[in-house]
């Protein structure tokens, strides 16, 4: 199966070709439950067989496990046929099974403790370790990871400045030297993305869960800025941690935790409109971000083959224009959200 691609070419050098659906590998780092190496490999092979050619990973995912599993998968794949992104901003120290990071989040992973480091040397060291884990000769895109208040709280401004004074300069050099094709940041909030875009020469942002069927506040200022500057958006978390895929059932997840009552109620209204138009809400949630001109790829996660097949089905789904109009009429979507064909 061949997937549609979108060319991002901000520098006029041919750019990068993203498949409209990419694959996020956090679930393959044993996020919330452990899976075997063979099960992870089967999901990756199913993605490849389904035509996916953009893969995003990070040292954080499974404390190195996801990148290690990517090594086996990529070993026999022609390097010119896929895009690969990973991230900087952390390195790991040895720990014990009791003192390691990620207890209750990452299961059956290496015993490591993470250290945030957005300095010049930290970025270079992180890239070197990623090359070793991944076993590849080239990484297409590097994202500075988790420069947001979710991870840094009141220290965020200091971390952002640390990055601009150090890691940012490293990424500029790596791009100028052709070691990487592009760089940006992978964050859970659009506001620090905008802060960075206003102060640096960024190519792409991986924005997780902040431009979805449920949330469109990024349209206020950040996405118009990206469109004006030719900055591409990789949209992670299109289902807002699950609720747009599972529906508003009891125990549904939103932003990595149980969905509050007001979110459950809003999603129930969105789902009712989708049902009235004969559309699976998950399909609408996947397609919606791709209607924005800055979005180059949507990257849902998937830990099992059933989830991968569901994501591939979402790519093929036809969404009637009347659905978007109905969501806007019901006040469930911003009036300025792009919904026309691209």
């Amino acid at each position: 199966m061949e997937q549609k691609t979108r060319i991002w070419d901000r520098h006029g050098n041919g750019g990068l070709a993203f498949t409209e659906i990419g694959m996020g590998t956090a679930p393959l780092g044993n996020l919330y439950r452990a899976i075997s190496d063979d099960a992870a490999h089967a999901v990756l092979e199913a993605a490849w067989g389904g035509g996916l050619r953009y893969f995003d990973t990070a040292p954080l995912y499974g404390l190195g496990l996801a990148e290690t599993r990517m090594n086996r998968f990529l070993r026999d794949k022609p390097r010119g046929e896929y895009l690969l992104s990973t991230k900087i901003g952390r390195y790991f120290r040895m720990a014990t099974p009791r003192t390691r990071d990620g207890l209750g989040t990452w299961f059956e992973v290496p015993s490591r403790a993470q250290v945030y480091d957005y300095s010049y040397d930290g970025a270079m060291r992180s890239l070197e370790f990623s090359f070793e884990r991944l076993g590849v000769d080239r990484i297409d895109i590097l994202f500075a990871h988790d420069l947001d208040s979710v991870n840094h709280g009141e220290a965020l401004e200091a971390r952002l400045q640390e990055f601009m004074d150090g890691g940012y300069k490293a990424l500029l050099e790596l791009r100028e030297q052709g070691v990487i094709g592009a760089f940006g940041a992978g964050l859970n909030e659009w506001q620090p993305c905008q802060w960075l875009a206003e102060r640096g020469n960024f190519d792409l942002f991986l924005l997780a869960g902040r431009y979805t069927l449920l949330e469109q506040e990024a349209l206020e200022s950040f996405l118009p800025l990206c469109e004006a500057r030719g900055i591409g958006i990789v949209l992670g978390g299109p289902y807002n941690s699950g609720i747009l895929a599972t529906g508003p059932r009891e125990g549904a997840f939103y932003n990595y935790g149980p969905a509050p009552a007001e979110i459950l109620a809003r999603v129930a209204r969105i789902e009712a409109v989708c049902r009235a138009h004969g559309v699976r809400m998950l399909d609408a949630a996947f397609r919606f971000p791709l209607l924005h001109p800055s979005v180059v790829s949507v990257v849902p996660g998937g830990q099992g083959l059933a989830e991968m097949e569901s994501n591939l089905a979402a790519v093929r789904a036809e969404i009637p224009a009347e659905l978007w109009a109905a969501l806007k009429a019901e006040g469930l979507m911003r009036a300025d959200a792009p919904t026309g064909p691209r």
Side-chain angles (χ1 to χ4, degrees):
M1 182 189 302
E2 189 171 339
Q3 295 290 342
K4 292 180 181 178
T5 59
R6 297 189 174 187
I7 305 298
W8 172 87
D9 190 13
R10 183 168 178 257
H11 301 292
N13 58 6
L16 301 173
F18 290 83
T19 45
E20 288 190 339
I21 179 172
M23 182 170 181
T25 60
L28 303 187
N30 289 354
L31 179 63
Y32 301 133
R33 70 182 181 95
I35 61 173
S36 68
D37 288 345
D38 286 344
H41 189 73
V43 174
L44 288 164
E45 289 291 355
W48 186 272
L52 275 73
R53 294 297 184 270
Y54 171 46
F55 299 87
D56 175 69
T57 190
L60 172 66
Y61 303 157
L63 309 185
L65 179 62
E67 285 189 328
T68 302
R69 284 173 164 171
M70 289 293 294
N71 182 314
R72 172 187 173 189
F73 165 68
L74 294 173
R75 209 168 298 156
D76 64 351
K77 303 295 185 290
R79 186 59 190 89
E81 292 187 13
Y82 64 86
L83 286 184
L84 177 64
S85 61
T86 191
K87 305 181 181 76
I88 61 96
R90 292 175 171 88
Y91 67 90
F92 299 122
R93 290 176 174 164
M94 296 292 292
T96 70
R98 291 186 177 182
T99 63
R100 73 167 177 87
D101 279 334
L103 293 170
T105 301
W106 310 106
F107 288 80
E108 296 181 20
V109 297
S111 296
R112 302 289 184 268
Q114 64 176 333
V115 179
Y116 288 110
D117 188 346
Y118 296 102
S119 69
Y120 180 99
D121 289 343
M124 292 298 193
R125 175 165 49 182
S126 178
L127 176 60
E128 182 179 354
F129 288 152
S130 286
F131 270 125
E132 289 301 312
R133 285 187 292 262
L134 289 162
V136 296
D137 298 324
R138 187 176 82 251
I139 291 169
D140 299 292
I141 306 158
L142 272 180
F143 293 115
H145 202 189
D146 287 343
L147 278 164
D148 47 43
S149 62
V150 173
N151 287 276
H152 300 296
E154 294 181 358
L156 174 59
E157 188 172 344
R159 287 295 191 184
L160 286 166
Q161 197 58 55
E162 175 191 349
F163 170 68
M164 292 303 295
D165 291 341
Y168 172 74
K169 295 176 181 178
L171 297 184
L172 274 177
E173 287 184 14
L174 291 166
R175 186 178 67 188
E176 290 169 358
Q177 295 165 4
V179 177
I180 58 175
F183 74 83
L187 313 181
N188 295 290
E189 299 159 355
W190 63 266
Q191 293 89 342
C193 290
Q194 181 166 324
W195 189 97
L196 292 166
E198 290 171 345
R199 290 163 175 79
N201 184 10
F202 290 84
D203 298 314
L204 298 150
F205 286 97
L206 197 168
L207 183 61
R210 300 286 80 82
Y211 186 66
T212 69
L213 206 56
L214 190 55
E215 298 185 34
Q216 297 114 43
E217 287 184 7
L219 284 169
E220 292 181 9
S221 53
F222 173 58
L223 289 177
L225 175 64
C226 291
E227 192 173 356
R229 295 193 180 179
I231 297 171
I233 297 294
V234 175
L235 199 289
Y239 311 137
N240 283 116
S241 300
I243 193 167
L244 290 175
T246 64
R249 60 172 173 76
E250 185 177 351
F253 271 74
Y254 167 73
N255 275 4
Y256 310 106
E262 62 271 20
I263 294 296
L264 290 168
R266 185 175 181 86
V267 172
R269 292 178 64 201
I270 294 171
E271 187 174 49
V273 175
C274 290
R275 190 180 300 115
H277 288 79
V279 173
R280 191 174 61 148
M281 183 170 62
L282 182 149
D283 296 341
F286 175 83
R287 178 55 50 184
F288 169 71
L290 287 166
L291 300 175
H292 193 283
S294 295
V295 174
V296 295
S297 186
V298 171
V299 181
Q303 199 174 43
L305 291 173
E307 290 171 304
M308 178 54 61
E309 287 302 321
S310 181
N311 289 331
L312 290 171
V315 182
R316 300 188 295 268
E318 296 288 336
I319 311 297
E322 293 79 8
L323 171 64
W324 313 124
L327 288 168
K328 290 182 177 182
E330 292 288 330
L332 295 169
M333 178 182 289
R334 284 178 61 114
D336 57 348
T339 52
R342 280 197 51 180

